[in-house]
Tab-separated table of all heavy atoms in Angstrom:
chain	number	residue	atom	x	y	z
A	584	LEU	N	0.880	-1.200	0.022
A	584	LEU	CA	0.069	0.050	-0.037
A	584	LEU	C	0.839	1.195	0.005
A	584	LEU	O	0.482	2.295	-0.577
A	584	LEU	CB	-0.957	-0.043	1.215
A	584	LEU	CG	-2.096	-0.949	1.273
A	584	LEU	CD1	-2.876	-0.995	2.468
A	584	LEU	CD2	-2.996	-0.567	0.019
A	585	MET	N	2.075	1.108	0.650
A	585	MET	CA	2.998	2.298	0.654
A	585	MET	C	3.638	2.500	-0.706
A	585	MET	O	4.355	3.508	-1.000
A	585	MET	CB	4.090	2.086	1.681
A	585	MET	CG	3.587	2.125	3.155
A	585	MET	SD	4.957	1.848	4.193
A	585	MET	CE	6.274	2.923	3.766
A	586	GLY	N	3.610	1.488	-1.547
A	586	GLY	CA	4.246	1.546	-2.851
A	586	GLY	C	5.798	1.385	-2.746
A	586	GLY	O	6.535	1.909	-3.592
A	587	ALA	N	6.172	0.576	-1.812
A	587	ALA	CA	7.616	0.210	-1.645
A	587	ALA	C	8.169	-0.457	-2.894
A	587	ALA	O	7.519	-1.240	-3.556
A	587	ALA	CB	7.793	-0.650	-0.472
A	588	GLU	N	9.433	-0.150	-3.228
A	588	GLU	CA	10.056	-0.799	-4.325
A	588	GLU	C	10.046	-2.284	-4.086
A	588	GLU	O	10.283	-2.732	-2.910
A	588	GLU	CB	11.497	-0.184	-4.508
A	588	GLU	CG	12.322	-0.792	-5.607
A	588	GLU	CD	13.764	-0.348	-5.499
A	588	GLU	OE1	14.011	0.750	-5.050
A	588	GLU	OE2	14.603	-1.143	-5.962
A	589	ALA	N	10.056	-3.093	-5.210
A	589	ALA	CA	9.942	-4.538	-5.013
A	589	ALA	C	11.105	-5.183	-4.231
A	589	ALA	O	10.880	-5.993	-3.353
A	589	ALA	CB	9.862	-5.178	-6.465
A	590	MET	N	12.391	-4.711	-4.547
A	590	MET	CA	13.418	-5.346	-3.746
A	590	MET	C	13.410	-4.938	-2.353
A	590	MET	O	13.574	-5.813	-1.499
A	590	MET	CB	14.786	-4.901	-4.404
A	590	MET	CG	15.924	-5.460	-3.602
A	590	MET	SD	17.608	-5.111	-4.345
A	590	MET	CE	17.621	-6.197	-5.717
A	591	ILE	N	13.120	-3.644	-2.000
A	591	ILE	CA	12.993	-3.222	-0.630
A	591	ILE	C	11.881	-4.046	0.131
A	591	ILE	O	12.122	-4.480	1.254
A	591	ILE	CB	12.839	-1.687	-0.556
A	591	ILE	CG1	13.954	-0.982	-1.202
A	591	ILE	CG2	12.621	-1.315	0.949
A	591	ILE	CD1	13.831	0.519	-1.140
A	592	LEU	N	10.698	-4.132	-0.590
A	592	LEU	CA	9.647	-4.895	-0.038
A	592	LEU	C	10.069	-6.273	0.296
A	592	LEU	O	9.818	-6.883	1.461
A	592	LEU	CB	8.459	-4.803	-0.918
A	592	LEU	CG	7.195	-5.534	-0.413
A	592	LEU	CD1	5.978	-4.791	-0.973
A	592	LEU	CD2	7.116	-6.970	-0.796
A	593	GLY	N	10.669	-7.002	-0.763
A	593	GLY	CA	11.038	-8.380	-0.564
A	593	GLY	C	12.102	-8.525	0.603
A	593	GLY	O	11.919	-9.438	1.487
A	594	ILE	N	13.116	-7.676	0.626
A	594	ILE	CA	14.028	-7.724	1.736
A	594	ILE	C	13.471	-7.553	3.119
A	594	ILE	O	13.735	-8.220	4.084
A	594	ILE	CB	15.222	-6.686	1.457
A	594	ILE	CG1	15.980	-7.139	0.234
A	594	ILE	CG2	16.138	-6.650	2.691
A	594	ILE	CD1	16.974	-6.090	-0.193
A	595	ALA	N	12.570	-6.497	3.196
A	595	ALA	CA	11.983	-6.232	4.470
A	595	ALA	C	11.055	-7.350	4.968
A	595	ALA	O	11.137	-7.683	6.194
A	595	ALA	CB	11.119	-4.920	4.426
A	596	VAL	N	10.275	-7.974	4.102
A	596	VAL	CA	9.473	-9.065	4.516
A	596	VAL	C	10.271	-10.332	4.921
A	596	VAL	O	9.986	-10.998	5.925
A	596	VAL	CB	8.461	-9.435	3.324
A	596	VAL	CG1	7.704	-10.661	3.670
A	596	VAL	CG2	7.462	-8.208	3.116
A	597	VAL	N	11.265	-10.524	4.145
A	597	VAL	CA	12.197	-11.670	4.554
A	597	VAL	C	12.861	-11.374	5.931
A	597	VAL	O	12.984	-12.327	6.727
A	597	VAL	CB	13.276	-11.936	3.462
A	597	VAL	CG1	14.343	-12.882	3.915
A	597	VAL	CG2	12.615	-12.509	2.188
A	598	GLN	N	13.267	-10.226	6.167
A	598	GLN	CA	13.901	-9.848	7.449
A	598	GLN	C	12.872	-10.062	8.542
A	598	GLN	O	13.210	-10.406	9.706
A	598	GLN	CB	14.433	-8.480	7.410
A	598	GLN	CG	15.562	-8.105	6.415
A	598	GLN	CD	16.732	-8.927	6.645
A	598	GLN	OE1	17.414	-8.802	7.655
A	598	GLN	NE2	17.091	-9.743	5.735
A	599	MET	N	11.660	-9.646	8.256
A	599	MET	CA	10.619	-9.844	9.347
A	599	MET	C	10.334	-11.263	9.618
A	599	MET	O	9.870	-11.661	10.669
A	599	MET	CB	9.282	-9.097	8.827
A	599	MET	CG	8.241	-9.111	9.889
A	599	MET	SD	8.563	-8.097	11.334
A	599	MET	CE	8.095	-6.499	10.812
A	600	ALA	N	10.635	-12.149	8.672
A	600	ALA	CA	10.347	-13.557	8.838
A	600	ALA	C	11.512	-14.310	9.581
A	600	ALA	O	11.482	-15.641	9.742
A	600	ALA	CB	10.175	-14.210	7.526
A	601	MET	N	12.611	-13.507	9.987
A	601	MET	CA	13.693	-14.166	10.782
A	601	MET	C	13.313	-14.634	12.100
A	601	MET	O	12.348	-14.074	12.736
A	601	MET	CB	14.787	-13.116	10.784
A	601	MET	CG	15.476	-12.848	9.534
A	601	MET	SD	16.292	-14.103	8.577
A	601	MET	CE	15.330	-14.221	7.196
A	602	PRO	N	13.986	-15.596	12.630
A	602	PRO	CA	13.798	-16.020	14.068
A	602	PRO	C	14.224	-14.907	15.056
A	602	PRO	O	14.718	-13.870	14.664
A	602	PRO	CB	14.555	-17.345	14.161
A	602	PRO	CG	15.766	-17.112	13.194
A	602	PRO	CD	15.162	-16.451	12.077
A	603	VAL	N	14.016	-15.192	16.376
A	603	VAL	CA	14.377	-14.247	17.401
A	603	VAL	C	15.818	-13.964	17.359
A	603	VAL	O	16.665	-14.793	17.182
A	603	VAL	CB	13.921	-14.776	18.693
A	603	VAL	CG1	14.413	-13.925	19.870
A	603	VAL	CG2	12.412	-14.960	18.801
A	604	ALA	N	16.240	-12.728	17.587
A	604	ALA	CA	17.592	-12.330	17.488
A	604	ALA	C	18.492	-12.966	18.563
A	604	ALA	O	17.992	-13.030	19.739
A	604	ALA	CB	17.682	-10.783	17.649
A	605	VAL	N	19.666	-13.435	18.187
A	605	VAL	CA	20.560	-13.941	19.140
A	605	VAL	C	20.955	-12.978	20.305
A	605	VAL	O	21.326	-13.269	21.360
A	605	VAL	CB	21.805	-14.509	18.469
A	605	VAL	CG1	22.808	-15.142	19.310
A	605	VAL	CG2	21.339	-15.590	17.400
A	606	ASN	N	20.999	-11.626	19.848
A	606	ASN	CA	21.427	-10.586	20.770
A	606	ASN	C	20.578	-10.694	22.137
A	606	ASN	O	21.137	-10.344	23.214
A	606	ASN	CB	21.088	-9.213	20.248
A	606	ASN	CG	21.796	-8.957	18.921
A	606	ASN	OD1	22.511	-9.875	18.406
A	606	ASN	ND2	21.648	-7.791	18.440
A	607	GLY	N	19.442	-11.231	22.074
A	607	GLY	CA	18.539	-11.299	23.292
A	607	GLY	C	19.269	-12.137	24.369
A	607	GLY	O	19.232	-11.866	25.596
A	608	SER	N	19.936	-13.298	23.980
A	608	SER	CA	20.583	-14.137	24.971
A	608	SER	C	21.807	-13.397	25.570
A	608	SER	O	22.036	-13.486	26.768
A	608	SER	CB	21.019	-15.457	24.246
A	608	SER	OG	19.891	-16.180	23.859
A	609	LEU	N	22.458	-12.673	24.704
A	609	LEU	CA	23.599	-11.935	25.232
A	609	LEU	C	23.257	-10.738	26.182
A	609	LEU	O	23.848	-10.672	27.230
A	609	LEU	CB	24.432	-11.248	24.010
A	609	LEU	CG	24.895	-12.123	22.870
A	609	LEU	CD1	25.447	-11.390	21.738
A	609	LEU	CD2	25.875	-13.188	23.447
A	610	LEU	N	22.160	-10.095	25.834
A	610	LEU	CA	21.678	-8.988	26.717
A	610	LEU	C	21.091	-9.619	27.987
A	610	LEU	O	21.189	-8.946	29.047
A	610	LEU	CB	20.614	-8.182	25.927
A	610	LEU	CG	21.156	-7.357	24.683
A	610	LEU	CD1	20.058	-6.751	23.965
A	610	LEU	CD2	22.171	-6.310	25.218
A	611	SER	N	20.400	-10.702	27.888
A	611	SER	CA	19.899	-11.298	29.187
A	611	SER	C	20.928	-11.787	30.112
A	611	SER	O	20.914	-11.537	31.323
A	611	SER	CB	18.988	-12.503	28.769
A	611	SER	OG	17.741	-12.217	28.037
A	612	MET	N	21.980	-12.200	29.558
A	612	MET	CA	23.219	-12.634	30.351
A	612	MET	C	23.816	-11.446	31.053
A	612	MET	O	24.200	-11.313	32.191
A	612	MET	CB	24.177	-13.372	29.498
A	612	MET	CG	25.442	-13.770	30.241
A	612	MET	SD	25.252	-15.165	31.440
A	612	MET	CE	25.086	-16.480	30.268
A	613	GLU	N	23.927	-10.368	30.219
A	613	GLU	CA	24.555	-9.116	30.590
A	613	GLU	C	23.829	-8.290	31.662
A	613	GLU	O	24.397	-7.794	32.590
A	613	GLU	CB	24.922	-8.229	29.355
A	613	GLU	CG	25.659	-6.961	29.689
A	613	GLU	CD	27.115	-7.183	29.989
A	613	GLU	OE1	27.600	-8.230	29.758
A	613	GLU	OE2	27.772	-6.161	30.441
A	614	TYR	N	22.463	-8.226	31.497
A	614	TYR	CA	21.654	-7.265	32.322
A	614	TYR	C	20.735	-7.980	33.235
A	614	TYR	O	19.944	-7.332	33.914
A	614	TYR	CB	20.811	-6.334	31.361
A	614	TYR	CG	21.808	-5.424	30.615
A	614	TYR	CD1	21.924	-5.556	29.219
A	614	TYR	CD2	22.442	-4.488	31.221
A	614	TYR	CE1	22.752	-4.723	28.416
A	614	TYR	CE2	23.393	-3.636	30.396
A	614	TYR	CZ	23.403	-3.851	29.022
A	614	TYR	OH	24.378	-3.001	28.319
A	615	GLY	N	20.757	-9.371	33.318
A	615	GLY	CA	19.954	-10.114	34.277
A	615	GLY	C	18.517	-10.412	33.827
A	615	GLY	O	17.605	-10.513	34.735
A	616	GLY	N	18.280	-10.657	32.546
A	616	GLY	CA	17.050	-11.090	32.136
A	616	GLY	C	16.938	-12.562	32.305
A	616	GLY	O	17.701	-13.273	32.795
A	617	ASP	N	15.778	-13.156	31.723
A	617	ASP	CA	15.586	-14.550	31.841
A	617	ASP	C	16.298	-15.192	30.684
A	617	ASP	O	15.785	-15.477	29.581
A	617	ASP	CB	14.076	-14.893	31.719
A	617	ASP	CG	13.689	-16.359	32.114
A	617	ASP	OD1	14.601	-17.234	31.907
A	617	ASP	OD2	12.556	-16.563	32.440
A	618	ALA	N	17.600	-15.502	30.936
A	618	ALA	CA	18.514	-16.038	29.911
A	618	ALA	C	18.060	-17.373	29.442
A	618	ALA	O	18.194	-17.744	28.233
A	618	ALA	CB	19.972	-16.045	30.337
A	619	GLU	N	17.431	-18.210	30.327
A	619	GLU	CA	17.010	-19.571	29.915
A	619	GLU	C	15.835	-19.572	28.989
A	619	GLU	O	15.914	-20.140	27.930
A	619	GLU	CB	16.576	-20.327	31.192
A	619	GLU	CG	16.016	-21.750	30.982
A	619	GLU	CD	15.566	-22.363	32.270
A	619	GLU	OE1	16.509	-22.438	33.240
A	619	GLU	OE2	14.565	-22.964	32.297
A	620	CYS	N	14.804	-18.697	29.273
A	620	CYS	CA	13.722	-18.510	28.404
A	620	CYS	C	14.093	-17.921	27.088
A	620	CYS	O	13.696	-18.367	26.001
A	620	CYS	CB	12.666	-17.681	29.102
A	620	CYS	SG	11.049	-17.575	28.180
């Protein structure tokens, strides 16, 4: 609906389909979050 260019749209949708970022485990360990979950 925004009229995004085909390549930008494709890349953005594929990026949105990625699994949860690995950074979360690093930050949970560093700042005291639920690293196990």
Side-chain angles (χ1 to χ4, degrees):
L584 286 174
M585 288 175 56
E588 181 188 331
M590 178 176 285
I591 297 176
L592 183 149
I594 293 171
V596 172
V597 167
Q598 299 297 298
M599 185 64 83
M601 293 296 119
V603 174
V605 177
N606 299 4
S608 294
L609 303 176
L610 293 173
S611 295
M612 177 74 75
E613 181 74 9
Y614 297 111
D617 191 335
E619 178 179 308
C620 183

